[in-house]
Amino acid sequence: EVQLVESGGGLVQAGGSLRLSCAASGFTFDDYAIGWFRQAPGKEREGVSCISSSSRTTYYADSVKGRFTISSDNAKNTVYLQMNSLKPDDTAVYYCAAGQYRPYGSRWCVLNRFMDYWGKGTLVTVSS
């Protein structure tokens, strides 16, 4: 059974930091890219960052570039999203998703349509 389990969300003040974790199981981790997506109330889900499990190639949306860092511990089948300098606009439910590798460059793994499995999400709330 494929499972993606997010953790690490919570309430933080603007300027603070959080680290999200995505623990994956039930599929060959090295064959997939893991993406972090978020959905704020009333908005569409958007991809913010992703990493290829094998090549460690990363991608960041402009809105988080320089503030968020994605990393992967392949021994633990876990991907992390370190979020620094958080802003109220970062408030959202954050989801991780897995997509089987596609040779489409680095951005494909933040596009919803290419992701095969999804976690249930973790809420991040940034207060002003």
Side-chain angles (χ1 to χ4, degrees):
E1 179 189 5
V2 172
Q3 282 193 319
L4 293 168
V5 180
E6 303 95 337
S7 61
L11 174 63
V12 64
Q13 288 189 330
S17 298
L18 283 174
R19 189 176 82 153
L20 305 183
S21 299
C22 172
S25 61
F27 58 93
T28 305
F29 191 72
D30 286 353
D31 291 344
Y32 283 73
I34 304 295
W36 283 99
F37 297 74
R38 67 186 182 186
Q39 187 166 22
K43 295 188 177 181
E44 292 187 355
R45 187 167 55 194
E46 62 171 348
V48 296
S49 183
C50 64
I51 185 168
S52 168
S53 300
S54 57
S55 70
R56 309 295 179 98
T57 301
T58 60
Y59 178 87
Y60 297 94
D62 288 344
S63 58
V64 305
K65 201 173 293 183
R67 300 188 299 122
F68 291 10
T69 302
I70 193 168
S71 61
S72 176
D73 184 339
N74 286 24
K76 296 182 178 179
N77 285 6
T78 299
V79 170
Y80 305 97
L81 186 68
Q82 178 67 42
M83 306 187 296
N84 298 330
S85 302
L86 283 162
K87 306 174 182 179
D89 284 350
D90 295 318
T91 295
V93 177
Y94 283 72
Y95 301 89
C96 67
Q100 193 163 20
Y101 173 74
R102 289 165 170 84
Y104 298 162
S106 62
R107 184 173 175 263
W108 67 269
C109 47
V110 292
L111 301 178
N112 292 277
R113 64 183 181 273
F114 291 128
M115 308 313 282
D116 301 305
Y117 307 113
W118 292 85
K120 294 183 179 180
T122 186
L123 177 62
V124 171
T125 303
V126 184
S127 64
S128 57

